[in-house]
């Protein structure tokens, strides 16, 4: 079962939520509560804890395009900071890979997966999504 977490206010609870990579993470909170910040920290912790992973291996779903874009930008900034501090190709590569990493809205990710497997799914590869 996926825990339903609210962005924790105290440091210890935030650290637990950020560093727990043995489970899914679902955040439920209003605007300005720190969801994006916590997700960025969680995402970076996954990359740090598992050097064999790249941003192309991690799926992050948000509810708005704005939140997805903000998350990618914050991740890029953090990866660039880590690259400068550690002089590592790993973090420079991660910053570049974030351009095409699967960080998007739920409907954006579904559209991406269907486009990637359109023929296997029996769909016209040029299909479009009706925005409503």
């Amino acid at each position: 079962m996926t825990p339903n977490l609210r962005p924790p206010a105290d440091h210890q609870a935030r650290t637990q939520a950020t560093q727990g990579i043995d489970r899914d993470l679902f955040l439920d909170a209003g605007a300005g509560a720190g969801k994006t910040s916590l997700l960025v920290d969680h995402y970076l912790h996954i990359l740090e804890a598992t050097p064999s992973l790249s941003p192309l291996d991690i799926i992050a779903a948000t509810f708005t395009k704005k939140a997805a874009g903000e998350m990618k930008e914050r991740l890029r900034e953090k990866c660039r900071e880590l690259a400068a501090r550690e002089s590592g190709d790993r973090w420079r590569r991660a910053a570049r890979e974030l351009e095409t990493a699967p960080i998007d809205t739920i409907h954006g990710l579904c559209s991406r997966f269907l486009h990637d497997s359109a023929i296997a799914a029996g769909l016209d590869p040029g299909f479009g999504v009706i925005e409503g």
Side-chain angles (χ1 to χ4, degrees):
M1 182 167 170
T2 302
N4 185 3
L5 300 173
R6 295 189 184 277
D10 70 88
H11 181 70
Q12 183 178 5
R14 183 179 176 84
T15 299
Q16 277 185 316
T18 301
Q19 295 182 359
I21 61 173
D22 59 338
R23 65 188 183 279
D24 295 331
L25 180 64
F26 176 84
L27 298 176
D28 176 26
K35 296 180 299 293
T36 302
S37 176
L38 190 110
L39 284 173
V40 166
D41 290 347
H42 184 68
Y43 193 104
L44 285 171
H45 181 76
I46 291 169
L47 287 175
E48 287 175 323
T50 317
S52 61
L53 288 180
S54 89
L56 302 175
D57 299 317
I58 302 169
I59 297 171
T62 66
F63 285 102
T64 67
K65 290 179 183 181
K66 180 181 176 189
E70 194 173 313
M71 186 173 173
K72 275 188 176 186
E73 186 53 38
R74 288 186 194 182
L75 283 165
R76 264 193 294 275
E77 288 174 21
K78 295 274 189 177
C79 286
R80 288 179 184 139
E81 287 173 16
L82 287 166
R85 190 174 331 134
E86 297 178 14
S87 301
D89 276 347
R90 175 178 180 225
W91 295 110
R92 277 190 287 283
R93 185 173 48 254
R96 284 191 309 272
E97 289 173 343
L98 281 162
E99 189 62 39
T100 57
I103 300 172
D104 205 341
T105 61
I106 293 167
H107 69 278
L109 288 167
C110 290
S111 176
R112 176 182 179 153
F113 299 145
L114 286 173
H115 273 102
D116 288 350
S117 303
I119 294 173
L123 298 170
D124 176 349
F127 79 87
V129 176
I130 299 173
E131 299 278 339

